[in-house]
Amino acid sequence: DAGVIQSPRHEVTEMGQEVTLRCKPISGHDYLFWYRQTMMRGLELLIYFNNNVPIDDSGMPEDRFSAKMPNASFSTLKIQPSEPRDSAVYFCASSFGQRYNEQFFGPGTRLTVL
Amino acid sequence: SQQGEEDPQALSIQEGENATMNCSYKTSINNLQWYRQNSGRGLVHLILIRSNEREKHSGRLRVTLDTSKKSSSLLITASRAADTASYFCATDENDMRFGAGTRLTVKP
């Protein structure tokens, strides 16, 4: 298996633009997590899905952020409109079976909002 | 403050030395996990230890869990420059939210 795949790996955009980050979890995994990592705030859990259903989105910073999982092999995290403070590395991770099992992380998307 | 807190925040050692880092939590757990993050990369799972276990080994890694002290330690023996990374713990107590991590530097 190729592992968790994220795209793009790097994204540079201007304030106010819409940004869409994509994730393909490991085949067969039923949990998918979105994280954001910054120097100031560390690694933050934004939202997670189980069987394509959002379970906990309490970490989503505000309404500008939205996440979807239309099927078991694809998820998106969208920021609209983007702001400079959204600059961070966004990670997607997946796991199998239980919420607290081992998580497999993707390589991340480094987002820069100018 | 964040739970699943790692200590120390930073650690610098020479290659060949052992590195020990700690993780504390507040209430009760079912399991505790350690992850490693190399610079610019995603986290990689190292070890999961359950509340009824006291020690687990994986290669040069040894993890201990003391539920009475609500703490865990990760020991890396005979460290290598490639072990330079940040190390995080996470527990089900804090919904697998990660702490700030321990930044380990192994000097060749």
Side-chain angles (χ1 to χ4, degrees), chain A residues 29-68:
Chain A
H29 281 193
D30 51 354
Y31 284 86
L32 183 138
F33 308 84
W34 281 102
Y35 292 89
R36 176 174 69 176
Q37 187 175 39
T38 62
M39 289 292 291
M40 290 295 292
R41 301 176 66 90
L43 192 64
E44 303 172 276
L45 176 65
L46 301 178
I47 185 172
Y48 77 90
F49 296 82
N50 177 223
N51 291 322
N52 314 336
V53 177
I55 303 300
D56 183 355
D57 65 354
S58 60
M60 296 285 264
E62 48 197 276
D63 292 345
R64 298 185 297 106
F65 287 69
S66 62
K68 294 182 180 179

Side-chain angles (χ1 to χ4, degrees), chain B:
Chain B
S1 62
Q2 283 190 335
Q3 296 178 352
E5 297 202 23
E6 299 86 354
D7 167 63
Q9 290 188 334
L11 181 60
S12 181
I13 59 174
Q14 293 293 136
E15 207 165 27
E17 294 180 340
N18 295 342
T20 300
M21 54 206 86
N22 306 296
C23 172
S24 62
Y25 56 93
K26 296 258 180 6
T27 57
S28 63
I29 62 170
N30 293 306
N31 74 56
L32 183 147
Q33 302 182 38
W34 284 94
Y35 287 78
R36 181 188 73 230
Q37 184 180 31
N38 291 91
S39 181
R41 310 286 290 273
L43 276 69
V44 174
H45 183 266
L46 297 176
I47 288 183
L48 182 154
I49 187 165
R50 302 195 186 281
S51 59
N52 61 353
E53 298 174 309
R54 291 297 168 259
E55 187 170 310
K56 285 189 83 168
H57 296 254
S58 177
R60 294 183 296 111
L61 306 181
R62 181 172 77 111
V63 169
T64 60
L65 179 64
D66 187 334
T67 53
S68 66
K69 295 181 179 178
K70 296 183 172 54
S71 68
S72 173
S73 291
L74 170 66
L75 168 67
I76 304 174
T77 60
S79 64
R80 305 167 180 168
D83 295 327
T84 294
S86 292
Y87 292 82
F88 298 88
C89 69
T91 73
D92 56 332
E93 172 208 43
N94 63 347
D95 212 26
M96 284 290 293
R97 281 166 169 81
F98 293 87
T102 292
R103 174 68 189 167
L104 173 65
T105 301
V106 182
K107 302 176 201 173

Side-chain angles (χ1 to χ4, degrees), chain A residues 7-113:
Chain A
S7 65
R9 294 293 309 277
H10 301 272
E11 176 82 26
V12 180
T13 190
E14 293 189 346
M15 183 173 63
Q17 297 297 306
E18 177 180 296
V19 175
T20 299
L21 311 181
R22 297 172 176 79
C23 175
K24 176 178 169 54
I26 292 173
S27 178
H29 281 193
D30 51 354
Y31 284 86
L32 183 138
F33 308 84
W34 281 102
Y35 292 89
R36 176 174 69 176
Q37 187 175 39
T38 62
M39 289 292 291
M40 290 295 292
R41 301 176 66 90
L43 192 64
E44 303 172 276
L45 176 65
L46 301 178
I47 185 172
Y48 77 90
F49 296 82
N50 177 223
N51 291 322
N52 314 336
V53 177
I55 303 300
D56 183 355
D57 65 354
S58 60
M60 296 285 264
E62 48 197 276
D63 292 345
R64 298 185 297 106
F65 287 69
S66 62
K68 294 182 180 179
M69 193 165 185
N71 57 62
S73 59
F74 183 65
S75 177
T76 59
L77 178 67
K78 185 177 293 187
I79 308 172
Q80 166 64 14
S82 58
E83 297 182 3
R85 60 191 168 123
D86 302 330
S87 297
V89 181
Y90 290 81
F91 290 102
C92 175
S94 69
S95 68
F96 172 73
Q98 294 184 26
R99 163 74 178 89
Y100 304 112
N101 280 351
E102 172 186 356
Q103 293 186 26
F104 294 80
F105 280 73
T109 295
R110 181 173 295 276
L111 173 65
T112 302
V113 183

